[in-house]
Amino acid sequence: MSAVPGSAAAYDAVVIGAGHNGLITAGYLAKSGLRTLVLERSEVPGGATKTIELAPGVRAPALAHTVGRLRRSVLRDLDLTRHGLHLIRPEVRAFAPHPDGRSVTFHADLARTSESLRTWSAADAEAYAGFDARIRAIASFLAYIAVSTPADVKAPSVQDAVMGMRLGRAFQGFGSRARREALRSLPMAVADLVGEAFESDAIRGALATRGVQYAALGPWSAGSAAVFLFDSAGNSGGAAGTTAYARGGPGALTDALVAAVRGFGGDVRTGAEVVAVTERAGKATGVALASGEEISARTVVSGTDPKRTLTRFVDPVVLGPHMMWRAGNIRTAGVVSKVNLALSGLPRFAASGGDASSLAGRIVIAQGIDALERAFDASKYGRISDEPYLEATIPTICDPSLAPEGTHVMSVVVQWTPYHLREGDWDAEREGLGDLVLKTLEQYAPGLSDLVTTRQVLTPLDLERDHGLTEGGALHGEPGLENFFAWRPLMGHARYRMPLRGLYLCGSGAHPGGGVTGGPGANAAREILLDLKRSR
């Protein structure tokens, strides 16, 4: 779609999508004095970081249930605390119950975690501190990569050389042994990474889940160790990972970001669906809405996934057949579903011994590496395992404001539920998936089903319909090494600049990838501001 010749730009930047990354990019642009507009097709901003009303007075996370990986610089630069964001960090990071009444529990305190692991293995209890130090060391270097812009592979600039030197110095500061360890670990399967350090399969399985969360990878998949390691980059998670809730639900993060954008002079419009990026002479000039309205802008920024951005918003004649083919082959097929439960009381997990604080962090249902791999195997053939891997949270333990007194919310991410089912369809399978989740949880928390007053099941198809995630891909593209750094989302277009001049990508499909980090949004804003400064 072409723009009207000679029309003046109404905005310096238009951002497509009010997910957290889109809002973060808009916040930085507006803070720099740019006339900035965010357009969101839904009536409520936030995307995967919404808080939804599950029942009257009961609120639950739409998809993402923790926000602990949010970049500290984003919190500081956009002054999100002043805009109402309050993070709650429970002492228990993760709790992995087992049917025999034991559990693997990871605490914020290193010594306490080591002592709790002694139930499974004295050797593993002694090994944990060393493993945690190793993970933190590698993650500290990966944090440098996460904030860096990939080099221009076709025409490297002086800035690329400077960035490379900085990364090189950071890598040199590691020491020779740590450098070898980092290079060796990244391509590994996470099962091997944890298997080298621990002898107990229960501990291995509980740790390995962070290498497969939201991804179409199993614990024995090459590169899943890199996913695990990047999950610790830029935060204090270490081997246990980080867990933090936004008071009021993840939507509180969205509210703070919207307030920041508006506080800096930007605007956020909901109920405004973008259907096309307008262009003239090979340059983006604005957007067209489903209503027929056209909005002109010097720069267009997409917070949607790269496949949707390029194959739906850009004129295929302008993009060309080869780039359309490349964009269409970006792997986005979703593998996760979400089940939200309103409960009339706090479920009793046998392995917790009645200690509610044990349930305050992530509850990991994964009995070991082999159990995880079997669940992943089923998804490869378009099926759902009878014994799925689940990650659940009960945010009302830390944040009672989400529900009336005595009522609790349980948020469950169901891993390896393939978008492309081999048999049947998701509209028919939705309630069966909800039943499977309750049946699985009942093995660890008997009587939980009797507490359920409201149930919501969101399949990969629902994530596509309701949240604009192509094929339900929560990460906007797979997180493996083949989609890492200069390869994310496509080789030659990893610098947030899309093939159409003036069009940028700021969502999770851009480096450093998915999760509620704000990294893609902050990095993209930096590059956009550099380009606009050069063009003056």
Side-chain angles (χ1 to χ4, degrees), residues 18-388:
H20 71 283
N21 277 309
L23 291 168
I24 287 168
T25 299
Y28 278 103
L29 298 182
K31 184 179 181 180
S32 297
L34 299 185
R35 295 166 297 163
T36 305
L37 172 66
V38 183
L39 298 171
E40 169 59 44
R41 71 170 190 167
S42 172
E43 295 297 333
V44 179
T49 54
K50 291 178 184 175
T51 302
I52 60 173
E53 187 169 40
L54 186 58
V58 180
R59 293 174 295 155
L63 178 57
H65 47 205
T66 63
V67 297
R69 294 178 61 207
L70 187 67
R71 198 178 276 184
R72 291 189 184 93
S73 58
V74 171
L75 285 166
R76 180 190 66 242
D77 295 344
L78 301 184
D79 205 1
L80 298 184
T81 301
R82 183 173 66 84
H83 289 296
L85 180 64
H86 178 77
L87 299 182
I88 304 169
R89 302 181 184 276
E91 198 282 328
V92 171
R93 297 280 178 80
F95 167 76
H98 282 253
D100 65 2
R102 293 187 293 171
S103 69
V104 176
T105 306
F106 299 108
H107 300 264
D109 181 74
L110 193 66
R112 192 171 179 188
T113 298
S114 295
E115 188 58 35
S116 72
L117 299 183
R118 202 169 296 279
T119 305
W120 296 92
S121 164
D124 288 352
E126 297 300 322
Y128 183 75
F131 181 75
D132 181 77
R134 174 184 167 197
I135 298 306
R136 290 178 186 274
I138 298 174
S140 68
F141 173 67
L142 295 181
Y144 281 96
I145 295 178
V147 299
S148 302
T149 298
D152 187 336
V153 295
K154 294 182 179 179
S157 65
V158 173
Q159 289 80 9
D160 292 333
V162 171
M163 182 271 291
M165 290 175 61
R166 287 175 177 168
L167 287 175
R169 282 199 299 268
F171 195 53
Q172 280 295 118
F174 247 15
S176 59
R177 180 177 179 181
R179 290 197 299 270
R180 289 195 303 271
E181 189 61 27
L183 293 174
R184 188 181 74 90
S185 299
L186 287 171
M188 288 173 64
V190 71
D192 281 327
L193 182 72
V194 299
E196 289 181 345
F198 302 103
E199 62 184 17
S200 168
D201 189 43
I203 296 172
R204 292 175 179 179
L207 287 168
T209 57
R210 291 175 53 224
V212 299
Q213 192 74 34
Y214 295 105
L217 298 170
W220 287 109
S221 299
S224 53
V227 179
F228 177 98
L229 293 165
F230 260 98
D231 192 57
S232 293
N235 61 66
S236 60
T242 185
T243 300
Y245 304 104
R247 178 173 290 168
L253 170 60
T254 299
D255 293 342
L257 288 169
V258 169
V261 172
R262 290 175 172 160
F264 291 129
D267 194 14
V268 179
R269 282 176 56 183
T270 58
E273 182 179 1
V274 173
V275 294
V277 174
T278 59
E279 62 81 29
R280 185 185 180 199
K283 183 184 184 306
T285 57
V287 296
L289 306 185
S291 64
E293 179 185 1
E294 291 192 16
I295 300 172
S296 60
R298 294 169 60 198
T299 298
V300 178
V301 190
S302 177
T304 63
D305 66 76
K307 180 181 283 189
R308 180 177 293 259
T309 298
L310 294 175
T311 64
R312 297 196 185 187
F313 294 157
V314 180
D315 187 336
V317 174
V318 173
L319 200 61
H322 179 66
M323 185 52 66
M324 283 292 290
W325 173 79
R326 291 184 68 194
N329 281 286
I330 296 172
R331 292 196 298 129
T332 58
V335 291
V336 296
S337 298
K338 181 71 188 299
V339 176
N340 288 317
L341 304 172
L343 306 174
S344 60
L346 184 66
R348 183 182 176 86
F349 282 75
S352 74
D355 180 10
S357 67
S358 297
L359 310 177
R362 292 170 284 120
I363 302 169
V364 176
I365 305 299
Q367 292 190 34
I369 296 293
D370 289 345
L372 287 170
E373 189 69 18
R374 284 193 297 271
F376 169 62
D377 279 341
S379 72
K380 292 189 297 185
Y381 303 104
R383 297 192 296 269
I384 305 166
S385 172
D386 291 335
E387 298 180 342

Side-chain angles (χ1 to χ4, degrees), residues 416-431:
W416 297 314
T417 57
Y419 175 83
H420 298 287
L421 288 174
R422 184 174 181 179
E423 298 177 0
D425 62 77
W426 273 116
D427 285 329
E429 297 295 329
R430 179 181 292 103
E431 295 310 316

